[in-house]
Amino acid sequence: MKRILRYILIFAIVFVIGLSSFLAGFSNSQSSTQTKKDGLIFYEVFVRSFYDSDGDGIGDINGLAEKLPYIKSLGVNAIWLMPIFESPSYHGYDVTNYYKINPDYGTNEDFVNFIKKAHKMGIKVIIDMMINHTSSKHPWFIEASSNKNSKYRNYYIWASPSTNIDEPSELGTRQWYKKGDSYYNAIFWSEMPDLNFDNKAVREEMKKIAKFWLEKGVDGFRLDAAKHIYPSSREKDTIAWWEEYAKFCRSIKKDVYLIAEVWDSPQRIAQYAKIFDSCFNFTIAQNIIEGVTYENTQTLQNNLPSIYNLYKNVNPQFVDAPFLTNHDMNRAYSEIGSSNKMKLAAALLLTLPGNPFIYYGEEIGMKGQKPDEYIREPFKWYETWKKGQTNWEMSLYNSGPDVVSVEKQEKDKNSLLNFYRDMISFRKKNLPLLKGDFQLIKTSADTLSFARVYNNQKMVVIFNFTDKELSKTISLPSNINITGKTIKGSGKILSLKNGKLSFSIKPYSFIIIN
């Protein structure tokens, strides 16, 4: 009898252990669909403006491949290419063929060769994916608008008799445009008709396009206008679509990198942080530019910890995507206005958590203000025009005898270009900066201080946002034990005792302490 009871007890223990393992495995399988893809530093490129290999004045894929050594020299390990598909517009956000590289830029074969070359250099490549809308010149729309019985008619959104065609979109834009005797929906521009994601054929087509480019070697996608698939009243449907899309992409390429443009509040972005690997941090971008410009860190101190905690609670695998400005915003240098402040902003960008994004030309201090063409001007390689320099448009903000260029800044060890290279190299060599957690250390509004922690490695980063040398004392959190040695920056430690750190720091500068 005792032997039988013993067997029953053993069986029960084994059953419980097995059940626990199964449940743990199930839980892990649920979360394993998204792994943390950090440690990346991106360079955003507008191909048209970058480097011209064939002398037509327009940047192209072969020119980009030719200049991969320069991109590699920055220290970045990933590239985001703005639209490269066939399009009638200079910017490419209105696509006429999702399966073909814009002939201005080259061929599909050129692009595959570029990817292979980038991969050999240890550089990942993601591309802009614009699936909220197509071009009005896309064959789908041409047929849909001319034949109400076409299968493509339902690829787009058409007004019903009860639709108020005078009602503006959520963007405040006109959204209904007449074609024949019908009205179609287009919230961004009349020549960008919105696609109908209630149509399963549209969803399947978008997944087919993703598969095509992933199998060509692309490492991921920057998903344009991600929150605009449906109106905000149907945000659950937008979320459901992106869950479907992300799951499909990960089934094709397990380590695909998906980053979404959700230009909104952190609370709105948090809904998308459950799905994507990253979303751009528009709030912090604005806070950095304004903080550096007006020499005040208070908004940054308020927002940084709350945003990071919000995202971490929503999805521990989510990786933030900080940046200064991008192709839709006035260039950082034009906003900030000086080289010293620009270096301060760059240093902050490259010491914050996440995968930072650098907009082409930012690293040499290119200028530019709206309209969009003038924030996407030709990249400046040389002091005077030479072969390879693009000239698809005349430069309004980056011309004249004092214009910045790679050629000029290569010669100056203290240039903004070499500062970016140095900071990127430093970030990559120090895991707390590359992958560590963030912990704010409260200070007055003229300075910003935080700790970065990776396993047992800890660093404290302190910024002086003013034009004066400062001497201060801060109280370190109890869990931040450091030696007090300055390993980077312009300043020095005066004392470190009983958790009190006293330091001096140069104007518009920073120090990093371990």
Side-chain angles (χ1 to χ4, degrees), residues 230-285:
Y230 294 95
S232 60
S233 60
R234 296 186 60 187
E235 189 148 41
K236 286 184 178 179
D237 293 323
T238 297
I239 296 291
W241 153 249
W242 286 123
E243 287 174 341
E244 178 183 337
Y245 184 86
K247 182 179 180 182
F248 175 81
C249 288
R250 289 170 184 142
S251 75
I252 302 299
K253 186 180 181 68
K254 187 177 179 181
D255 63 347
V256 63
Y257 183 70
L258 301 175
I259 177 166
E261 180 205 28
V262 182
W263 199 332
D264 213 307
S265 68
Q267 290 71 29
R268 185 90 177 269
I269 291 172
Q271 299 178 67
Y272 296 85
K274 300 172 186 176
I275 308 165
F276 298 113
D277 300 298
S278 299
C279 294
F280 292 103
N281 199 326
F282 286 92
T283 298
I284 295 305

Side-chain angles (χ1 to χ4, degrees), residues 50-267:
F50 204 62
Y51 192 81
D52 172 22
S53 71
D54 57 11
D56 65 356
I58 296 173
D60 46 55
I61 299 295
N62 288 336
L64 187 64
E66 191 176 331
K67 285 300 182 179
L68 272 171
Y70 168 78
I71 295 174
K72 178 76 173 176
S73 80
L74 296 175
V76 302
N77 52 16
I79 298 172
W80 157 28
L81 297 182
M82 288 169 60
I84 55 172
F85 304 147
E86 186 178 74
S87 168
S89 299
Y90 86 91
H91 51 73
Y93 280 98
D94 50 337
V95 178
T96 51
N97 189 341
Y98 285 98
Y99 298 96
K100 184 180 179 183
I101 295 294
N102 188 328
D104 283 348
Y105 295 167
T107 65
N108 286 21
E109 184 181 9
D110 292 335
F111 183 60
V112 170
N113 289 336
F114 162 75
I115 293 175
K116 289 177 180 176
K117 187 172 181 179
H119 286 171
K120 283 181 181 178
M121 299 176 74
I123 298 173
K124 292 180 179 291
V125 178
I126 70 170
I127 60 174
D128 238 316
M129 187 61 73
M130 305 71 65
I131 60 178
N132 166 264
H133 50 259
T134 70
S135 168
S136 61
K137 295 179 176 62
H138 195 292
W140 298 344
F141 188 74
I142 292 172
E143 186 171 332
S145 59
S146 60
N147 178 5
K148 291 182 180 180
N149 296 317
S150 166
K151 73 171 187 175
Y152 294 112
R153 182 73 174 184
N154 199 34
Y155 270 45
Y156 297 90
I157 303 166
W158 301 90
S160 70
S162 62
T163 301
N164 179 3
I165 59 172
D166 295 320
E167 182 180 5
S169 75
E170 293 178 336
L171 301 172
T173 57
R174 180 181 173 187
Q175 64 174 327
W176 295 103
Y177 295 88
K178 193 170 186 180
K179 192 75 173 178
D181 60 356
S182 303
Y183 285 86
Y184 64 93
N185 190 253
I187 65 171
F188 287 106
W189 179 37
S190 61
E191 306 312 305
M192 290 179 173
D194 282 24
L195 286 163
N196 174 21
F197 279 82
D198 282 331
N199 183 352
K200 186 177 179 180
V202 170
R203 298 199 303 273
E204 292 305 310
E205 186 68 42
M206 293 306 132
K207 289 189 282 188
K208 182 182 171 186
I209 292 163
K211 182 175 186 287
F212 179 84
W213 291 107
L214 290 173
E215 290 180 345
K216 294 287 186 188
V218 163
D219 296 292
F221 305 118
R222 177 265 187 186
L223 300 162
D224 181 61
K227 71 175 183 177
H228 294 294
I229 297 298
Y230 294 95
S232 60
S233 60
R234 296 186 60 187
E235 189 148 41
K236 286 184 178 179
D237 293 323
T238 297
I239 296 291
W241 153 249
W242 286 123
E243 287 174 341
E244 178 183 337
Y245 184 86
K247 182 179 180 182
F248 175 81
C249 288
R250 289 170 184 142
S251 75
I252 302 299
K253 186 180 181 68
K254 187 177 179 181
D255 63 347
V256 63
Y257 183 70
L258 301 175
I259 177 166
E261 180 205 28
V262 182
W263 199 332
D264 213 307
S265 68
Q267 290 71 29

Side-chain angles (χ1 to χ4, degrees), residues 295-310:
E295 303 183 7
N296 189 302
T297 72
Q298 196 57 61
T299 305
L300 279 165
Q301 291 192 55
N302 292 339
N303 286 343
L304 285 168
S306 62
I307 291 174
Y308 294 145
N309 288 335
L310 172 65

